[in-house]
Amino acid sequence: MASSAGLTEAVLYETLVNYLVSMARTVEGAMNRALDAIVGVNESRTWALPGEVFLLEPRINEMEIVIDEHAIRLLRRGSFSDDEVRLIVAALKITNDLERVGDLAVNLAECVISLREMPAAQLPEELAPMTSAVRAMVSKSLGALIFRNVEMAGQVLQSDDVVDQYRDRIFDQLMQSMTQRAALVSPGMQFILATRHLERIADHATNIAEDIIFWVRGLDVRHGRGLAMTADGSVWTTSAGEEVIENSRALHSDVTPGCDTQRV
């Protein structure tokens, strides 16, 4: 009986992780569609993408509720190990960030619809590389979740400043063009909103990466309590010098190692 009870506990916690991965993949699918739509705003091949994003939002919201209810069900059982407590806490926080990424994908899709009604809309030069950087951050945060990989999560933290720099440069370029041509004001404002949404998606990917580090290693790296990497890139440490890396592909050997997360 004790063995059966232990198996039940393991299944319950693994179910929570599987729910998280499923929600993350759905959110990433919505985000990728929104990113493809904003980059290809003037291309007919992206015409249907905003509608697909809108259709995914209710599913994402429902998945958040299911995960929260499952986490609460686990809490009612009482008597947890440290790993289990961290998993439940991280799961409740990660679902919130994932749901917000889904909302931001909807916001981007709405920007696309508005831009399609503006003949003067021209894609800012650095918007495409900015979307690529955001896409990579979300993909790595999902990979870190699947493989419980702290190194991959650390790479997400290191990428956040790059997205902020793109946002600032695009803003400056758009402001300059809008002051020169009045016809560019309306599309320029939509692109500024789009860069803001992209920057917020990157922030949520960073939050997820921080929560994964907390879950896997029990370390709080928020608010500048960041990680440093050794010269050969093999080990991440806290500012206090504590080693934090523990690759975990062996924990999920049944998951496809390639982790192709571009489209769902």
mmCIF file of all heavy atoms in Angstrom, residues 35-69:
data_model
loop_
_atom_site.group_PDB
_atom_site.id
_atom_site.type_symbol
_atom_site.label_atom_id
_atom_site.label_comp_id
_atom_site.label_asym_id
_atom_site.label_seq_id
_atom_site.Cartn_x
_atom_site.Cartn_y
_atom_site.Cartn_z
ATOM 1 N N LEU A 35 3.558 36.892 -33.524
ATOM 2 C CA LEU A 35 4.832 37.416 -34.010
ATOM 3 C C LEU A 35 4.920 37.319 -35.533
ATOM 4 O O LEU A 35 5.374 38.261 -36.203
ATOM 5 C CB LEU A 35 5.995 36.654 -33.377
ATOM 6 C CG LEU A 35 6.158 36.756 -31.854
ATOM 7 C CD1 LEU A 35 7.453 36.077 -31.430
ATOM 8 C CD2 LEU A 35 6.134 38.191 -31.384
ATOM 9 N N ASP A 36 4.487 36.190 -36.083
ATOM 10 C CA ASP A 36 4.488 36.048 -37.537
ATOM 11 C C ASP A 36 3.578 37.094 -38.188
ATOM 12 O O ASP A 36 3.889 37.625 -39.259
ATOM 13 C CB ASP A 36 4.025 34.648 -37.933
ATOM 14 C CG ASP A 36 5.049 33.568 -37.590
ATOM 15 O OD1 ASP A 36 6.218 33.928 -37.328
ATOM 16 O OD2 ASP A 36 4.674 32.382 -37.572
ATOM 17 N N ALA A 37 2.458 37.376 -37.523
ATOM 18 C CA ALA A 37 1.499 38.332 -38.086
ATOM 19 C C ALA A 37 2.049 39.756 -38.080
ATOM 20 O O ALA A 37 1.885 40.492 -39.061
ATOM 21 C CB ALA A 37 0.187 38.272 -37.301
ATOM 22 N N ILE A 38 2.729 40.151 -36.992
ATOM 23 C CA ILE A 38 3.231 41.524 -36.927
ATOM 24 C C ILE A 38 4.410 41.719 -37.874
ATOM 25 O O ILE A 38 4.546 42.773 -38.510
ATOM 26 C CB ILE A 38 3.611 41.917 -35.474
ATOM 27 C CG1 ILE A 38 3.827 43.423 -35.353
ATOM 28 C CG2 ILE A 38 4.816 41.156 -34.980
ATOM 29 C CD1 ILE A 38 2.598 44.252 -35.473
ATOM 30 N N VAL A 39 5.258 40.713 -38.009
ATOM 31 C CA VAL A 39 6.397 40.825 -38.925
ATOM 32 C C VAL A 39 5.923 40.802 -40.379
ATOM 33 O O VAL A 39 6.472 41.501 -41.236
ATOM 34 C CB VAL A 39 7.421 39.701 -38.668
ATOM 35 C CG1 VAL A 39 8.502 39.694 -39.736
ATOM 36 C CG2 VAL A 39 8.052 39.880 -37.289
ATOM 37 N N GLY A 40 4.895 40.005 -40.652
ATOM 38 C CA GLY A 40 4.352 39.926 -42.012
ATOM 39 C C GLY A 40 3.046 40.667 -42.144
ATOM 40 O O GLY A 40 2.117 40.184 -42.814
ATOM 41 N N VAL A 41 2.959 41.850 -41.528
ATOM 42 C CA VAL A 41 1.695 42.584 -41.466
ATOM 43 C C VAL A 41 1.136 42.895 -42.841
ATOM 44 O O VAL A 41 -0.087 42.969 -43.022
ATOM 45 C CB VAL A 41 1.876 43.882 -40.634
ATOM 46 C CG1 VAL A 41 2.872 44.825 -41.297
ATOM 47 C CG2 VAL A 41 0.547 44.569 -40.388
ATOM 48 N N ASN A 42 1.986 43.067 -43.834
ATOM 49 C CA ASN A 42 1.527 43.415 -45.182
ATOM 50 C C ASN A 42 1.502 42.217 -46.127
ATOM 51 O O ASN A 42 1.337 42.389 -47.335
ATOM 52 C CB ASN A 42 2.431 44.506 -45.779
ATOM 53 C CG ASN A 42 2.344 45.810 -44.996
ATOM 54 O OD1 ASN A 42 1.266 46.229 -44.594
ATOM 55 N ND2 ASN A 42 3.491 46.436 -44.758
ATOM 56 N N GLU A 43 1.645 41.018 -45.583
ATOM 57 C CA GLU A 43 1.693 39.823 -46.413
ATOM 58 C C GLU A 43 0.390 39.032 -46.284
ATOM 59 O O GLU A 43 -0.126 38.827 -45.190
ATOM 60 C CB GLU A 43 2.878 38.946 -46.002
ATOM 61 C CG GLU A 43 4.232 39.649 -46.117
ATOM 62 C CD GLU A 43 5.377 38.786 -45.619
ATOM 63 O OE1 GLU A 43 5.178 37.554 -45.503
ATOM 64 O OE2 GLU A 43 6.452 39.334 -45.333
ATOM 65 N N SER A 44 -0.115 38.578 -47.406
ATOM 66 C CA SER A 44 -1.391 37.863 -47.421
ATOM 67 C C SER A 44 -1.309 36.525 -46.683
ATOM 68 O O SER A 44 -2.316 36.048 -46.152
ATOM 69 C CB SER A 44 -1.844 37.630 -48.863
ATOM 70 O OG SER A 44 -0.870 36.889 -49.581
ATOM 71 N N ARG A 45 -0.112 35.930 -46.633
ATOM 72 C CA ARG A 45 0.037 34.618 -45.991
ATOM 73 C C ARG A 45 -0.244 34.674 -44.496
ATOM 74 O O ARG A 45 -0.497 33.641 -43.870
ATOM 75 C CB ARG A 45 1.447 34.078 -46.230
ATOM 76 C CG ARG A 45 2.542 34.875 -45.545
ATOM 77 C CD ARG A 45 3.937 34.300 -45.769
ATOM 78 N NE ARG A 45 4.944 35.104 -45.109
ATOM 79 C CZ ARG A 45 5.270 34.980 -43.824
ATOM 80 N NH1 ARG A 45 4.663 34.073 -43.088
ATOM 81 N NH2 ARG A 45 6.197 35.753 -43.289
ATOM 82 N N THR A 46 -0.175 35.864 -43.896
ATOM 83 C CA THR A 46 -0.409 36.000 -42.453
ATOM 84 C C THR A 46 -1.831 36.463 -42.138
ATOM 85 O O THR A 46 -2.127 36.766 -40.978
ATOM 86 C CB THR A 46 0.585 37.001 -41.841
ATOM 87 O OG1 THR A 46 0.310 38.330 -42.342
ATOM 88 C CG2 THR A 46 2.021 36.621 -42.179
ATOM 89 N N TRP A 47 -2.670 36.516 -43.138
ATOM 90 C CA TRP A 47 -3.985 37.134 -42.953
ATOM 91 C C TRP A 47 -4.806 36.452 -41.856
ATOM 92 O O TRP A 47 -5.514 37.104 -41.099
ATOM 93 C CB TRP A 47 -4.754 37.119 -44.276
ATOM 94 C CG TRP A 47 -5.945 38.029 -44.269
ATOM 95 C CD1 TRP A 47 -7.256 37.681 -44.108
ATOM 96 C CD2 TRP A 47 -5.933 39.448 -44.402
ATOM 97 N NE1 TRP A 47 -8.059 38.785 -44.144
ATOM 98 C CE2 TRP A 47 -7.280 39.890 -44.328
ATOM 99 C CE3 TRP A 47 -4.918 40.393 -44.590
ATOM 100 C CZ2 TRP A 47 -7.620 41.236 -44.416
ATOM 101 C CZ3 TRP A 47 -5.270 41.732 -44.680
ATOM 102 C CH2 TRP A 47 -6.602 42.139 -44.597
ATOM 103 N N ALA A 48 -4.748 35.135 -41.779
ATOM 104 C CA ALA A 48 -5.602 34.388 -40.843
ATOM 105 C C ALA A 48 -5.017 34.296 -39.435
ATOM 106 O O ALA A 48 -5.715 33.868 -38.507
ATOM 107 C CB ALA A 48 -5.861 32.986 -41.385
ATOM 108 N N LEU A 49 -3.766 34.696 -39.255
ATOM 109 C CA LEU A 49 -3.101 34.457 -37.970
ATOM 110 C C LEU A 49 -3.742 35.179 -36.779
ATOM 111 O O LEU A 49 -3.874 34.589 -35.703
ATOM 112 C CB LEU A 49 -1.618 34.812 -38.078
ATOM 113 C CG LEU A 49 -0.800 33.913 -39.013
ATOM 114 C CD1 LEU A 49 0.662 34.361 -39.060
ATOM 115 C CD2 LEU A 49 -0.878 32.458 -38.569
ATOM 116 N N PRO A 50 -4.128 36.458 -36.894
ATOM 117 C CA PRO A 50 -4.769 37.097 -35.729
ATOM 118 C C PRO A 50 -6.006 36.349 -35.252
ATOM 119 O O PRO A 50 -6.218 36.198 -34.034
ATOM 120 C CB PRO A 50 -5.119 38.496 -36.253
ATOM 121 C CG PRO A 50 -4.113 38.752 -37.320
ATOM 122 C CD PRO A 50 -3.913 37.423 -37.989
ATOM 123 N N GLY A 51 -6.825 35.859 -36.192
ATOM 124 C CA GLY A 51 -8.004 35.093 -35.795
ATOM 125 C C GLY A 51 -7.644 33.823 -35.046
ATOM 126 O O GLY A 51 -8.330 33.436 -34.090
ATOM 127 N N GLU A 52 -6.556 33.165 -35.447
ATOM 128 C CA GLU A 52 -6.113 31.966 -34.741
ATOM 129 C C GLU A 52 -5.675 32.289 -33.317
ATOM 130 O O GLU A 52 -5.901 31.502 -32.388
ATOM 131 C CB GLU A 52 -4.969 31.311 -35.515
ATOM 132 C CG GLU A 52 -5.383 30.777 -36.877
ATOM 133 C CD GLU A 52 -4.211 30.190 -37.642
ATOM 134 O OE1 GLU A 52 -3.124 30.024 -37.051
ATOM 135 O OE2 GLU A 52 -4.375 29.901 -38.845
ATOM 136 N N VAL A 53 -5.050 33.453 -33.147
ATOM 137 C CA VAL A 53 -4.633 33.880 -31.804
ATOM 138 C C VAL A 53 -5.860 34.089 -30.924
ATOM 139 O O VAL A 53 -5.897 33.645 -29.763
ATOM 140 C CB VAL A 53 -3.800 35.177 -31.876
ATOM 141 C CG1 VAL A 53 -3.488 35.690 -30.465
ATOM 142 C CG2 VAL A 53 -2.510 34.940 -32.649
ATOM 143 N N PHE A 54 -6.879 34.749 -31.464
ATOM 144 C CA PHE A 54 -8.099 35.000 -30.689
ATOM 145 C C PHE A 54 -8.766 33.690 -30.271
ATOM 146 O O PHE A 54 -9.295 33.587 -29.154
ATOM 147 C CB PHE A 54 -9.090 35.837 -31.505
ATOM 148 C CG PHE A 54 -8.580 37.208 -31.868
ATOM 149 C CD1 PHE A 54 -8.956 37.808 -33.068
ATOM 150 C CD2 PHE A 54 -7.729 37.899 -31.020
ATOM 151 C CE1 PHE A 54 -8.485 39.071 -33.405
ATOM 152 C CE2 PHE A 54 -7.254 39.164 -31.352
ATOM 153 C CZ PHE A 54 -7.633 39.746 -32.552
ATOM 154 N N LEU A 55 -8.722 32.689 -31.149
ATOM 155 C CA LEU A 55 -9.360 31.413 -30.836
ATOM 156 C C LEU A 55 -8.611 30.647 -29.745
ATOM 157 O O LEU A 55 -9.223 29.850 -29.013
ATOM 158 C CB LEU A 55 -9.448 30.552 -32.098
ATOM 159 C CG LEU A 55 -10.457 31.019 -33.156
ATOM 160 C CD1 LEU A 55 -10.325 30.171 -34.418
ATOM 161 C CD2 LEU A 55 -11.875 30.963 -32.618
ATOM 162 N N LEU A 56 -7.309 30.867 -29.619
ATOM 163 C CA LEU A 56 -6.520 30.156 -28.610
ATOM 164 C C LEU A 56 -6.666 30.757 -27.212
ATOM 165 O O LEU A 56 -6.419 30.077 -26.217
ATOM 166 C CB LEU A 56 -5.042 30.150 -29.010
ATOM 167 C CG LEU A 56 -4.646 29.173 -30.119
ATOM 168 C CD1 LEU A 56 -3.207 29.429 -30.570
ATOM 169 C CD2 LEU A 56 -4.800 27.728 -29.645
ATOM 170 N N GLU A 57 -7.065 32.031 -27.126
ATOM 171 C CA GLU A 57 -7.107 32.683 -25.810
ATOM 172 C C GLU A 57 -8.029 31.979 -24.811
ATOM 173 O O GLU A 57 -7.613 31.745 -23.659
ATOM 174 C CB GLU A 57 -7.503 34.156 -25.954
ATOM 175 C CG GLU A 57 -7.431 34.881 -24.616
ATOM 176 C CD GLU A 57 -8.032 36.276 -24.656
ATOM 177 O OE1 GLU A 57 -8.820 36.563 -25.571
ATOM 178 O OE2 GLU A 57 -7.714 37.080 -23.757
ATOM 179 N N PRO A 58 -9.270 31.610 -25.167
ATOM 180 C CA PRO A 58 -10.117 30.920 -24.175
ATOM 181 C C PRO A 58 -9.510 29.610 -23.689
ATOM 182 O O PRO A 58 -9.655 29.253 -22.522
ATOM 183 C CB PRO A 58 -11.422 30.678 -24.952
ATOM 184 C CG PRO A 58 -11.427 31.692 -26.042
ATOM 185 C CD PRO A 58 -9.985 31.859 -26.437
ATOM 186 N N ARG A 59 -8.834 28.895 -24.589
ATOM 187 C CA ARG A 59 -8.194 27.639 -24.194
ATOM 188 C C ARG A 59 -7.087 27.896 -23.174
ATOM 189 O O ARG A 59 -6.953 27.152 -22.195
ATOM 190 C CB ARG A 59 -7.623 26.956 -25.443
ATOM 191 C CG ARG A 59 -6.953 25.622 -25.162
ATOM 192 C CD ARG A 59 -6.431 25.032 -26.457
ATOM 193 N NE ARG A 59 -5.620 23.840 -26.223
ATOM 194 C CZ ARG A 59 -4.907 23.235 -27.157
ATOM 195 N NH1 ARG A 59 -4.900 23.698 -28.382
ATOM 196 N NH2 ARG A 59 -4.188 22.162 -26.865
ATOM 197 N N ILE A 60 -6.309 28.945 -23.391
ATOM 198 C CA ILE A 60 -5.236 29.289 -22.459
ATOM 199 C C ILE A 60 -5.808 29.647 -21.092
ATOM 200 O O ILE A 60 -5.303 29.202 -20.049
ATOM 201 C CB ILE A 60 -4.395 30.448 -23.025
ATOM 202 C CG1 ILE A 60 -3.615 29.976 -24.255
ATOM 203 C CG2 ILE A 60 -3.443 31.004 -21.969
ATOM 204 C CD1 ILE A 60 -2.972 31.096 -25.038
ATOM 205 N N ASN A 61 -6.875 30.438 -21.086
ATOM 206 C CA ASN A 61 -7.504 30.838 -19.825
ATOM 207 C C ASN A 61 -8.030 29.620 -19.065
ATOM 208 O O ASN A 61 -7.902 29.536 -17.837
ATOM 209 C CB ASN A 61 -8.646 31.822 -20.095
ATOM 210 C CG ASN A 61 -8.162 33.150 -20.638
ATOM 211 O OD1 ASN A 61 -6.997 33.506 -20.478
ATOM 212 N ND2 ASN A 61 -9.032 33.884 -21.287
ATOM 213 N N GLU A 62 -8.620 28.680 -19.789
ATOM 214 C CA GLU A 62 -9.149 27.476 -19.150
ATOM 215 C C GLU A 62 -8.024 26.623 -18.568
ATOM 216 O O GLU A 62 -8.152 26.056 -17.483
ATOM 217 C CB GLU A 62 -9.964 26.670 -20.159
ATOM 218 C CG GLU A 62 -10.640 25.438 -19.572
ATOM 219 C CD GLU A 62 -11.670 25.780 -18.499
ATOM 220 O OE1 GLU A 62 -12.230 26.889 -18.539
ATOM 221 O OE2 GLU A 62 -11.904 24.928 -17.614
ATOM 222 N N MET A 63 -6.905 26.542 -19.295
ATOM 223 C CA MET A 63 -5.778 25.761 -18.809
ATOM 224 C C MET A 63 -5.203 26.362 -17.532
ATOM 225 O O MET A 63 -4.769 25.640 -16.631
ATOM 226 C CB MET A 63 -4.705 25.664 -19.889
ATOM 227 C CG MET A 63 -5.148 24.878 -21.106
ATOM 228 S SD MET A 63 -3.924 24.867 -22.434
ATOM 229 C CE MET A 63 -2.842 23.564 -21.858
ATOM 230 N N GLU A 64 -5.193 27.696 -17.440
ATOM 231 C CA GLU A 64 -4.722 28.337 -16.207
ATOM 232 C C GLU A 64 -5.580 27.906 -15.024
ATOM 233 O O GLU A 64 -5.058 27.589 -13.942
ATOM 234 C CB GLU A 64 -4.761 29.860 -16.358
ATOM 235 C CG GLU A 64 -4.297 30.588 -15.097
ATOM 236 C CD GLU A 64 -4.557 32.082 -15.145
ATOM 237 O OE1 GLU A 64 -5.442 32.518 -15.895
ATOM 238 O OE2 GLU A 64 -3.870 32.811 -14.407
ATOM 239 N N ILE A 65 -6.885 27.871 -15.214
ATOM 240 C CA ILE A 65 -7.798 27.485 -14.136
ATOM 241 C C ILE A 65 -7.576 26.027 -13.736
ATOM 242 O O ILE A 65 -7.536 25.683 -12.547
ATOM 243 C CB ILE A 65 -9.260 27.712 -14.569
ATOM 244 C CG1 ILE A 65 -9.526 29.218 -14.725
ATOM 245 C CG2 ILE A 65 -10.229 27.111 -13.562
ATOM 246 C CD1 ILE A 65 -10.865 29.545 -15.345
ATOM 247 N N VAL A 66 -7.412 25.157 -14.720
ATOM 248 C CA VAL A 66 -7.197 23.727 -14.447
ATOM 249 C C VAL A 66 -5.924 23.518 -13.627
ATOM 250 O O VAL A 66 -5.906 22.749 -12.659
ATOM 251 C CB VAL A 66 -7.132 22.934 -15.768
ATOM 252 C CG1 VAL A 66 -6.638 21.505 -15.522
ATOM 253 C CG2 VAL A 66 -8.500 22.902 -16.436
ATOM 254 N N ILE A 67 -4.852 24.214 -14.008
ATOM 255 C CA ILE A 67 -3.583 24.058 -13.293
ATOM 256 C C ILE A 67 -3.700 24.591 -11.870
ATOM 257 O O ILE A 67 -3.213 23.968 -10.912
ATOM 258 C CB ILE A 67 -2.451 24.769 -14.053
ATOM 259 C CG1 ILE A 67 -2.166 24.027 -15.362
ATOM 260 C CG2 ILE A 67 -1.181 24.832 -13.200
ATOM 261 C CD1 ILE A 67 -1.202 24.743 -16.271
ATOM 262 N N ASP A 68 -4.330 25.739 -11.706
ATOM 263 C CA ASP A 68 -4.515 26.292 -10.366
ATOM 264 C C ASP A 68 -5.312 25.327 -9.483
ATOM 265 O O ASP A 68 -4.976 25.106 -8.311
ATOM 266 C CB ASP A 68 -5.228 27.643 -10.434
ATOM 267 C CG ASP A 68 -4.328 28.756 -10.940
ATOM 268 O OD1 ASP A 68 -3.112 28.510 -11.083
ATOM 269 O OD2 ASP A 68 -4.836 29.862 -11.198
ATOM 270 N N GLU A 69 -6.365 24.738 -10.038
ATOM 271 C CA GLU A 69 -7.183 23.810 -9.266
ATOM 272 C C GLU A 69 -6.389 22.560 -8.889
ATOM 273 O O GLU A 69 -6.521 22.043 -7.777
ATOM 274 C CB GLU A 69 -8.431 23.422 -10.064
ATOM 275 C CG GLU A 69 -9.448 24.558 -10.185
ATOM 276 C CD GLU A 69 -10.638 24.178 -11.042
ATOM 277 O OE1 GLU A 69 -10.546 23.147 -11.766
ATOM 278 O OE2 GLU A 69 -11.647 24.907 -11.009
#
